[in-house]
Amino acid sequence: RCYILSNENGKIQLSLRQSRLNPKSNSKVEDVEITCIKDVKKGQLVRGYVKSITPSGVFFGLSTSLLGRILFQNVSPYFVQKHSLYEKYLPEGKLLTAKVLGVNGKEKHIELSLLPEDTRMPSVLPESLGLPRYDAEEEKREANDREKREELKLKTKRRRGNSERRSTGIRLRNYTEEEKKIKLHWRLANCCPPPSTHFSLLQEAKPKKRKICPADENDSGIEVYYREEEDDDQKEEAAKKKSKIRKPGEAPRLQVSMGFTWDEDMNAMDIPVLNQKEESSESEEEEDPQSKLKKQTKKEKELEKQKKEKELCKLEAALMDPSRQPQSADDFDRLVLSSPNSSILWLQYMAFHLQATEIEKARAVAERALKTICFREEQEKLNVWVALLNLENMYGTEETLMKVFERAVQYNEPLKVFQHLCDIYANSEKYKQAEELYHTMLKRFRQEKSVWLKYASFLLKQGQTEATHRLLERALKALPTKEHVDVISRFAQMEFRFGDPEHAKALFESTLNSYPKRTDIWSIYMDIMIKHGSQKEVRDIFERVIHLSLAPKKMKFFFKRYLDYEKKFGTTESVLAVKRAALEYVETKSSLADT
């Protein structure tokens, strides 16, 4: 008993679900029926069957109309180099439990996982295989990162210890208004000494000459003589002291809108220093949250690097797989670099571009192949030339085809190129161009037997038997006499296949009458008549042959063939008749030998 889901185009889909067979029963449904993509939700555990395994992942059937994909990294926690291992442990039709990782309703894509931590089921690949885990490399990297962090902590502690030994503490100093003015002028002219008018005041102040640093730019009466430590308590104390020192009654600092120089010969300072100092003092308060954000971005960068390294590892593993088919131009470039003289790879590369209708790129690949393949590999180069001729015939014009044809004739044997172009015309049903090319070939290669035979085959396939008969007469006049028997027999064979069998028999009979001791023609005639003729005609040919005066070895061959034919198609009487004829031949030969 079953439930019929659909009956379309002679295909019936059935269901054995109890919920369909007995809709009134209140039994719990173990696997909820999935009819559309809306029934699937992220994080849901579903059961289904393995449909197929492809280079892009495992395809998982959730219903008759819905398929999900499982990436190889989500199939098992182990790294597998050969995908044939998946085919062994994940045969087609195997029932498994998977977890839904993501659902794309627009594109109707469902990403699934078979990992044990997702499904709470054992891994599909057993641990006994000894395969490496995906997370083994991550653990190594984390351990290395921890070691580096500990080393950095130790270095910072040592530096702090050294700085504490050298430091003399923080010394607060309140400047007078005169000293502040002197210090202002000194900062503005840090590249040259001050004028003599302020020399006495500077001697009284005696500020230490040191490079301007961020601490000097925000000078508020505090001088720091040691390297600041990242201590929150000290920062708070310093901030309180700054607020105490800055009194509301103090005069504001002098602001200079233009660049200030002590000497006309000196280069002008382009940036107003005081404005920069004010901006830096204001931005110092906002540095702490920005530095925290920077620290967060560093962590994110590290995570991104780790993700990229994982992706690279997966790509390298996929590239090392020998059964992997090339899927991009880069893959083909790697293949042709590894074996540059293989015309098959170059032709596949061209076909890859033609599938994407990138005709110019396919032409470029062909030209690159002709330059790359070694000049000794003549057949490999000829294969590329033929592919280029096919490309121009299908996607180019007559002019581009003729240009490629002329180049191919220059770099290859002309006869082979002509014959290939004739085949291309015939296969693409350009019979007029093919016939014109055959005429040029008959003029240029009159002494070549293959040209006459190829043209005869072309005419017979077109149904032009009379033209074929005239062509045979022309061929016998053009070719040397030693080729006549072979040409006639080849024409007769083609007549049997595509033309008039009676005319073919007449050709064979006339040839055998003229050359009765040509056993090769007799053998060909027998084979063709066994396939296309009647048993009576075949037996007549055998009887004629066994009564010829040929060498004993050749006669033995024909008697054996005659006996095999009678055993297969004849009767016991016909078999005995052949044996008696053979005995008579042997007796006559022995009597002649005795005399």
Side-chain angles (χ1 to χ4, degrees), residues 30 110 138 231-232 242 249 302 316 325 421 583-584:
E30 189 174 350
I110 302 170
E138 295 178 10
D231 193 355
D232 296 335
K242 284 180 185 178
E302 287 177 2
E316 287 173 359
Q325 293 295 325
L421 185 57
L583 284 171
E584 287 174 4

Side-chain angles (χ1 to χ4, degrees), residues 8 39 63 105 197-198 259 294 315 423 440 490 527 529 586:
E8 295 178 356
D39 297 336
S63 69
T197 52
H198 301 286
K294 284 180 183 176
L315 280 172
D423 292 336
T440 57
R490 295 286 292 277
D527 291 335
M529 290 305 295
V586 172

Side-chain angles (χ1 to χ4, degrees), residues 138-409:
E138 295 178 10
E139 291 176 359
K140 288 181 183 178
R141 286 172 192 149
E142 288 177 1
N144 291 333
D145 292 340
R146 287 172 194 163
E147 290 177 2
K148 287 179 182 177
R149 286 169 191 164
E150 289 175 0
E151 287 178 3
L152 285 170
K153 285 179 182 178
L154 289 170
K155 286 180 182 178
T156 51
K157 284 180 181 178
R158 287 172 188 169
R159 286 175 185 172
R160 285 176 183 175
N162 293 332
S163 62
E164 284 173 3
R165 290 170 192 167
R166 295 173 186 173
S167 63
T168 56
I170 298 175
R171 182 160 56 89
L172 297 175
R173 181 181 173 191
N174 293 328
Y175 293 112
T176 61
E177 291 182 4
E178 291 179 357
E179 287 174 341
K180 285 179 182 179
K181 290 177 183 178
I182 293 163
K183 194 165 185 179
L184 169 64
H185 290 298
W186 176 248
R187 283 181 177 174
L188 288 171
N190 62 339
C191 58
C192 60
S196 59
T197 52
H198 301 286
F199 185 74
S200 59
L201 291 171
L202 287 168
Q203 277 186 337
E204 291 174 7
K206 288 183 182 179
K208 287 190 178 182
K209 293 182 181 180
R210 66 181 186 275
K211 294 179 182 179
I212 297 172
C213 61
D216 293 332
E217 290 175 359
N218 301 322
D219 185 22
S220 59
I222 302 172
E223 289 184 3
V224 181
Y225 287 88
Y226 79 109
R227 186 175 176 179
E228 288 185 30
E229 297 181 9
E230 295 176 357
D231 193 355
D232 296 335
D233 298 333
Q234 289 182 3
K235 285 183 180 179
E236 288 175 4
E237 289 175 9
K240 288 177 183 178
K241 288 172 183 177
K242 284 180 185 178
S243 61
K244 288 178 183 177
I245 291 163
R246 288 179 182 172
K247 295 177 182 179
E250 284 182 356
R253 293 186 178 185
L254 177 64
Q255 294 185 1
V256 182
S257 59
M258 300 295 290
F260 183 83
T261 55
W262 287 103
D263 196 355
E264 289 180 1
D265 296 332
M266 298 291 291
N267 293 327
M269 295 175 71
D270 296 331
I271 304 165
V273 179
L274 290 174
N275 290 341
Q276 283 185 348
K277 289 173 185 177
E278 285 179 358
E279 288 172 7
S280 62
S281 63
E282 289 173 2
S283 64
E284 266 189 355
E285 295 173 0
E286 298 174 2
E287 276 182 0
D288 292 337
Q290 285 179 0
S291 63
K292 287 179 184 177
L293 286 170
K294 284 180 183 176
K295 287 179 183 177
Q296 288 176 358
T297 53
K298 283 180 182 178
K299 288 179 183 177
E300 288 173 1
K301 285 178 182 177
E302 287 177 2
L303 291 171
E304 284 177 4
K305 283 181 182 178
Q306 290 177 2
K307 286 179 182 178
K308 287 178 182 177
E309 285 176 2
K310 285 181 186 177
E311 290 174 1
L312 283 172
C313 289
K314 290 175 186 176
L315 280 172
E316 287 173 359
L319 290 171
M320 288 172 68
D321 188 4
S323 62
R324 180 177 177 272
Q325 293 295 325
Q327 297 174 353
S328 64
D330 293 334
D331 294 344
F332 278 107
D333 283 330
R334 291 189 198 96
L335 286 173
V336 296
L337 280 172
S338 61
S339 52
N341 292 329
S342 174
S343 60
I344 296 170
L345 293 176
W346 289 106
L347 298 185
Q348 288 175 353
Y349 198 177
M350 289 174 68
F352 170 76
H353 285 304
L354 288 174
Q355 284 175 358
T357 63
E358 296 173 340
I359 297 158
E360 288 300 324
K361 288 185 179 180
R363 283 195 186 102
V365 168
E367 295 293 340
R368 185 175 150 202
L370 294 172
K371 291 177 183 176
T372 307
I373 296 172
C374 180
F375 66 92
R376 293 188 182 90
E377 302 291 340
E378 294 179 359
Q379 187 59 45
E380 302 294 327
K381 281 206 166 192
L382 181 61
N383 293 340
V384 178
W385 280 112
V386 173
L388 192 54
L389 287 170
N390 270 306
L391 187 147
E392 295 298 339
N393 181 53
M394 290 176 69
Y395 302 103
T397 61
E398 192 67 26
E399 293 178 2
T400 57
L401 178 60
M402 284 297 109
K403 284 181 182 178
V404 173
F405 173 67
E406 288 169 5
R407 286 175 59 204
V409 168

Side-chain angles (χ1 to χ4, degrees), residues 18 58 101 116 160 165 214 236 271 287 301 330 334 358 366 421 430 437 447 498 502 509 531 538 571 581 585:
Q18 292 298 320
V58 179
L101 297 180
R160 285 176 183 175
R165 290 170 192 167
E236 288 175 4
I271 304 165
E287 276 182 0
K301 285 178 182 177
D330 293 334
R334 291 189 198 96
E358 296 173 340
L421 185 57
K430 295 180 180 179
L437 192 61
Q447 300 297 317
F498 307 111
E502 294 300 323
E509 291 293 340
K531 286 182 181 177
V538 175
T571 60
Y585 174 76

Side-chain angles (χ1 to χ4, degrees), residues 578-593:
V578 174
K579 287 180 179 178
R580 280 196 298 270
L583 284 171
E584 287 174 4
Y585 174 76
V586 172
E587 287 173 0
T588 53
K589 282 290 178 183
S590 61
S591 63
L592 287 171

